[in-house]
Amino acid sequence: MTEPTLSDFEDDTAIFKATGPPDHWLTTLNTGIWGFASDNESSWERVSAGDLILFHSTGSDTHDGNWDSGIIGYGIAGTKRTKEYPLWRSEVEAGENAFPYIVELTATHWRGNIGGVSGAEIGEKSHEQIHNDIESLLQNRLTLGEIEEETGSRFPVMGSFSSPSDGQQHLRLLQSEPLTTVRYRNRDVEQAESADEPETASQSFDHLRKREGITLDGDALFDDLYFDPDERRRIQSAVESAVQSGKHVIFTGPPGTGKTELAENTCKALLHNDQYTDYQISTATADWSTFDTVGGYMPRDEAGGSLDFVPGQVLERLPNGDHARNELLVIDEINRADIDKAFGQLFTVLSGQPVQLPFQQAGSEVEILPADRVDWSSQPASHEYVVPESWRLLATMNSYDKTSLYEMSYAFMRRFTFIRVGPPSGDLEQAISKYVELWGIETTEPDEAAVATVWRTMNSHDRAIGPAVVKDMLEMMSAMEPATIEEKTTQAVASYVLPQLEGIPQRKEIVQQLFETRVDESVLRQVASEVLQVPLE
């Protein structure tokens, strides 16, 4: 897993240190909880959601087993509450609730061999099992000697909870080695989700062998979309050739040109092929990591239990074990995600190579296998996720932010066909009338003419806008009746066009050209100066 770095947190994020015996940290790993004693309520009250807590393991466990002290990971604080039951080893053996004030962590990040730690509750483990688990948990820990050598100061080991002055340096040192991420949810949520999942046991996997014969329903591809005949033929030909030749697809273009609708319609246009079982849409974010796309460990319940591998967005679409699914996946705005951080092992997967993940499922290493490595005469094992030859990943990318495109490796890019979806050219008045008919908007010819002029002005620069922005403008103008055409156009431009110009060098020139359309120049001048931070004489 890829752990968050310092740049992912706010500058004023509080960093605390929690000290406890290594067997207590085993429980925190499996539950996502850290506790405070009754006489330490004031420390518990200092913690807020989003704070970071460094995990300091002492040199001995609660039964005097001896290890080297060190920092073994960190967690991100979530909600706080009290508990009324024993949870940690010392509590369970004493039959008391010694740490009633708890912080529920939204995620934890560990330096050790997390896959080697048993998910059983602490009371069910033998002393030998606990010692083995501690050995795995403490692997690769950041020792106190290493901290002193790197920072020139000693780590504050005294006290069960404190705020170290060098917390950011300690976190940076901790992140110098790869960390394994674990995220948490309670059993009630998981059971509710699993209850909604269809039964897939004993399904046939025959349909997953097929690659040839994939066809595209052209009518479904353009459902609720309008393109002129030439553009329609170009897009359909590009999509067909991509999916039939084994390529994944990224639709690129300016905002509002219909990229997301085309990606979803492509899925609908493919579902009549019996190779596919469904499709899903997900929107990328800057917070995505391989936990979101590939998967990672997650406990089954808050009071302990097995630490299970949970598949991410991509693996959840693929067949494994008794799941004979082959779901198309659409990732909207893929360039919002850090490609390297979010896709990790998928670079190799999309290049057609097998990948072994650093996680275990049903006692075996989780594997992602290309279809040619699988014997379809028997279903895959529960730890095997197979990429059928017919499976496709579709994505959209805003062409105004191409940075992520150049961060993709060649092995990643060559698996995709990039299809541009641009704004219409030519007679924009005629195009608007076609769109208005498609959208079912009640508008007027003057409104359409005014918007067409604005649209033509924008598209004459390298900040073109698509039909979706035009739709927003017309809907606003229709709702503003009986205002003047200048009032309506000015408000629509201020609301939907000016935000598209933020940060581009030509924004002053474009705004000055917009003054020549049917707008109230004095009002638009004032709004543009405030929104775009440019002087307009």
Side-chain angles (χ1 to χ4, degrees), residues 187-208:
R187 180 163 51 189
D188 293 338
V189 172
E190 184 177 76
Q191 289 178 340
E193 291 176 348
S194 61
D196 295 333
E197 294 180 359
E199 291 291 333
T200 55
S202 302
Q203 290 190 45
S204 170
F205 284 72
D206 290 343
H207 62 288
L208 303 178

Side-chain angles (χ1 to χ4, degrees), residues 117-356:
V117 177
S118 166
E121 294 185 27
I122 197 71
E124 300 174 354
K125 297 182 181 182
S126 65
H127 289 332
E128 182 182 3
Q129 180 64 68
I130 291 174
H131 280 204
N132 291 338
D133 286 351
I134 290 174
E135 289 287 350
S136 295
L137 184 69
L138 299 187
Q139 281 184 25
N140 204 31
R141 60 191 170 277
L142 185 62
T143 67
L144 302 183
E146 290 172 330
I147 295 173
E148 184 173 356
E149 180 179 351
E150 292 291 335
T151 65
S153 60
R154 293 187 176 184
F155 184 77
V157 297
M158 301 302 294
S160 61
F161 196 81
S162 63
S163 180
S165 58
D166 294 329
Q168 293 226 351
Q169 289 189 63
H170 300 145
L171 182 62
R172 188 177 291 107
L173 286 174
L174 189 66
Q175 294 176 331
S176 64
E177 296 289 338
L179 306 183
T180 298
T181 297
V182 179
R183 297 186 184 177
Y184 301 88
R185 64 183 176 189
N186 62 46
R187 180 163 51 189
D188 293 338
V189 172
E190 184 177 76
Q191 289 178 340
E193 291 176 348
S194 61
D196 295 333
E197 294 180 359
E199 291 291 333
T200 55
S202 302
Q203 290 190 45
S204 170
F205 284 72
D206 290 343
H207 62 288
L208 303 178
R209 306 180 189 185
K210 301 178 181 178
R211 170 183 170 182
E212 294 78 11
I214 297 176
T215 59
L216 194 74
D217 182 345
D219 291 334
L221 182 62
F222 298 102
D223 189 29
D224 291 330
L225 292 172
Y226 168 76
F227 293 94
D228 68 51
D230 290 340
E231 187 70 354
R232 184 180 174 118
R233 283 191 293 270
R234 180 189 68 83
I235 292 174
Q236 181 171 343
S237 175
V239 173
E240 283 180 334
S241 62
V243 297
Q244 290 173 359
S245 63
K247 296 287 188 179
H248 305 285
V249 176
I250 293 182
F251 293 99
T252 68
T257 54
K259 300 183 296 296
T260 303
E261 291 82 356
L262 265 174
E264 182 175 7
N265 284 357
T266 299
C267 296
K268 295 177 181 178
L270 289 171
L271 284 183
H272 70 277
N273 297 279
D274 60 7
Q275 288 97 326
Y276 303 108
T277 57
D278 203 351
Y279 74 92
Q280 294 291 330
I281 300 178
S282 183
T283 301
T285 72
D287 297 327
W288 266 21
S289 69
T290 51
F291 186 95
D292 301 279
T293 57
V294 178
Y297 285 126
M298 184 177 287
R300 282 192 171 273
D301 61 81
E302 64 180 10
S306 61
L307 192 66
D308 289 347
F309 174 77
V310 178
Q313 292 282 357
V314 173
L315 267 61
E316 187 66 25
R317 314 276 79 82
L318 303 177
N320 87 302
D322 292 329
H323 296 279
R325 62 200 166 206
N326 182 17
E327 299 179 1
L328 298 156
L329 175 63
V330 175
I331 299 181
D332 197 24
E333 301 288 353
I334 193 172
N335 51 328
R336 289 186 182 182
D338 182 324
I339 299 295
D340 290 334
K341 182 175 76 171
F343 288 88
Q345 297 94 334
L346 293 180
F347 282 81
T348 304
V349 172
L350 294 179
S351 297
Q353 302 299 316
V355 172
Q356 189 172 71

